[in-house]
Structures are given as structure tokens and as C-alpha cells.
């Protein structure tokens, strides 16, 4: 199954009332693990690389090319997405690498500046056939300073989508980034109001902080793309820490990193079932 565009994954998910899982890649092993987990689930998946991960690697090209190659070799449809880009230059680089979508994050700017910058990026991306996600109503936690109290207003969201031409919208509905405890409360009434008001798929960021049964409910209420990063980091690090504790003699990174990779794959399979389930 080839690399596909994000639209080819999110569009059918929206029409079918299912969630589309989007998981963050930090190292090549994450890309391999997420694809293995999606293959086990028999589900399409989105691999996403954040601007923070690009900063860690020093550049997008190496990890971006590796991730696109992993997607090409997959047995399920896989798209590659640039997550939380604040620099238009990084967006252009992703287009050149074959990414199927980008999230341009101007959420820290005031409304008019956000609209102007996002509309310009969306026009560039659409000329290249690439899908654009943007954010309105800053989802907290990226800098450790925001509370999960931010909310996206449905009428403002509809106007923003019309003014920018974006293909998907990240909304603030009670979650916050980088949560390692599952205490976030998704405002399901607001999700339903946004779904009714906004013509494009809605994206949940900060999904790692959501109790697992609520992920299924959030999709049923109207969220489509579900972004998960921190939850996988917890699983990856726990597995490696356990392997190292059990094998104090180990020196070959392939031994312990493989333990982390297997743990991430298992979690991706489980999480994809949750976001693709009908709620009970
Ligand atoms: Zn995010």
C-alpha cells in the first residue's frame, strides 16, 4: 500500500464517523512502530513530525525522508504530516519531501494575524495539492504555561475556516498538550456544536490526557483526526526502562530500543481500535 495523502485517510474517516489516528514520530523506530501497530489493526494511520522534533534532529530532511520511506513500505495506507509548524519555510520543505499535509500553527498570534498567515500558507499548500490543518483557540501545554481552559467558539471557527481556506481545524475543547495523566475532560457539547458549525474535519490535540473511553466518545461527538504523542512516549520510555532494569549487562541499543518499539506498536493497535470504535 503506497504513501497516501492525509485527505485520503481523514476524508473517509469523516464520512464513516470514525476517528483517524495520528501519532508523532521522534525517531525512525517510532515510524516503524506506528506502521506495525496500524498493520496489526488493519487501519490507515497518519505519521506526524512536529517542529519540536525537527528542532531535536536539527533539520527535517533526514527524519522526514526516513518517515516517508517507512510509509511507502507499509501494508496499510499511511500519510505523513508536519505537526505544529510555525515557520512557512518549514512547510515548504515538507512539501518538497512528499508530505501529505501540514499543520500550520499561528495560534499564538492574534486573530487577524493568524488568519492572514494561515491563508497564505494554505494557498501555497493547495497549489501543491497538500491538505492544511490550522488551530484556533490555542490548545494549551506546548510551553507548559497554558491551562486546558481555552475553548474554540463555533461561530468564530466557521468564520476562520471560511477566511483561511484550511482543510481541517484543531480545536480547543478541554485538552492540553503533554499530559501524562488522563484527567482531561473533553467538552462533548462543544464538540457537537463545532461539528455542526464547521464544514471541515475537526482535530483533537492533547489526546494523551483523555480517558480512553472518552476518546471513543469524542469521535462520536464529532472529532475526526486524533493526535497522540505523549501517551506513546510514556509507553516507549517505560518499556526501555524496564528492559534496562531487567538486563543490566545490555550495551547494544538495538536490544532496548526494540523493546520500546514493540511497546509503541502495541499501543497504536489498541488506540486505533478505540478511535475507530462505536461508543457503548
Ligand atoms: Zn498538538
Amino acid at each position: 500500500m503506497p504513501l497516501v495523502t492525509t485527505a485520503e485517510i481523514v476524508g473517509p474517516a469523516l464520512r464513516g464517523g470514525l476517528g483517524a489516528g495520528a501519532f508523532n514520530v521522534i525517531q525512525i523506530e517510532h515510524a516503524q512502530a506506528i506502521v506495525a501497530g496500524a498493520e496489526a489493526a488493519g487501519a490507515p494511520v497518519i505519521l506526524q513530525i512536529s517542529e519540536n522534533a525537527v528542532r531535536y534532529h536539527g533539520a527535517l530532511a533526514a527524519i522526514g525522508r526516513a518517515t516517508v520511506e517507512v510509509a511507502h513500505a507499509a501494508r496499510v495506507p499511511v500519510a505523513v504530516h508536519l505537526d505544529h509548524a510555525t515557520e512557512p519555510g518549514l512547510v515548504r520543505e515538507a512539501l518538497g519531501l512528499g508530505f501529505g499535509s501540514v499543520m500550520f500553527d499561528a495560534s499564538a498570534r492574534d486573530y487577524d494575524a493568524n488568519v492572514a498567515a494561515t491563508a497564505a500558507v494554505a494557498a501555497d499548500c493547495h497549489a501543491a495539492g497538500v491538505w492544511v490543518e490550522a488551530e484556533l483557540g490555542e490548545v494549551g501545554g506546548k510551553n507548559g504555561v497554558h491551562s486546558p481552559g481555552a475553548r474554540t467558539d463555533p461561530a468564530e471557527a466557521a468564520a476562520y475556516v471560511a477566511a483561511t481556506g484550511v482543510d481541517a481545524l484543531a480545536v480547543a475543547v478541554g485538552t492540553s498538550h503533554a499530559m501524562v495523566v488522563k484527567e482531561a475532560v473533553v467538552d462533548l457539547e462543544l464538540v457537537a456544536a463545532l461539528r455542526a458549525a464547521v464544514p471541515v474535519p475537526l482535530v483533537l490535540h492533547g489526546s494523551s490526557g483523555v480517558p480512553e473511553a472518552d476518546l471513543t466518545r469524542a469521535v462520536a461527538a464529532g472529532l475526526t483526526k486524533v493526535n497522540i504523542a505523549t501517551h506513546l512516549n510514556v509507553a516507549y520510555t517505560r518499556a526501555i526502562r524496564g528492559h534496562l532494569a531487567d538486563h543490566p549487562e545490555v550495551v547494544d541499543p538495538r536490544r532496548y530500543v526494540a523493546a520500546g518499539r514493540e511497546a509503541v506498536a502495541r499501543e497504536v493497535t489498541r488506540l486505533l481500535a478505540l478511535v475507530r470504535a462505536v461508543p457503548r
Side-chain angles (χ1 to χ4, degrees), residues 43-181:
V45 78
I46 299 161
L47 304 176
Q48 51 188 25
I49 300 174
S50 72
E51 189 173 282
N52 283 336
V54 172
R55 200 170 295 125
Y56 166 74
H57 286 285
L60 175 61
I63 187 67
R65 283 186 207 285
T67 300
V68 167
E69 288 303 318
V70 170
H72 270 302
R75 296 194 302 271
V76 290
V78 181
V80 181
H81 173 81
L82 179 66
D83 188 31
H84 283 293
T86 60
E87 295 298 327
L90 188 62
V91 170
R92 282 192 289 275
E93 198 181 341
L95 302 186
L97 291 169
F99 282 37
S101 58
V102 303
M103 180 208 183
F104 183 64
D105 180 359
S107 65
R109 308 186 196 188
D110 68 33
Y111 182 84
D112 289 342
N114 181 335
V115 167
T118 303
V121 166
D124 279 354
C125 288
H126 291 161
V130 165
W131 187 95
V132 180
E133 172 185 333
E135 178 170 325
L136 181 66
E138 188 171 11
V139 181
K142 288 198 292 289
N143 309 310
V145 294
H146 300 289
S147 76
R151 292 289 185 276
T152 302
D153 175 72
E156 194 175 61
Y160 178 83
V161 168
T164 56
V166 296
D167 305 284
L169 188 67
V171 290
V173 292
T175 58
S176 194
H177 287 95
M179 284 182 71
V180 295
V181 290

Side-chain angles (χ1 to χ4, degrees), residues 15-40:
R15 289 192 291 279
L18 302 177
F23 300 94
N24 281 70
V25 169
I26 300 175
Q27 302 162 259
I28 186 174
E29 283 84 354
H30 294 90
Q32 295 165 334
I34 294 161
V35 167
E39 287 174 343

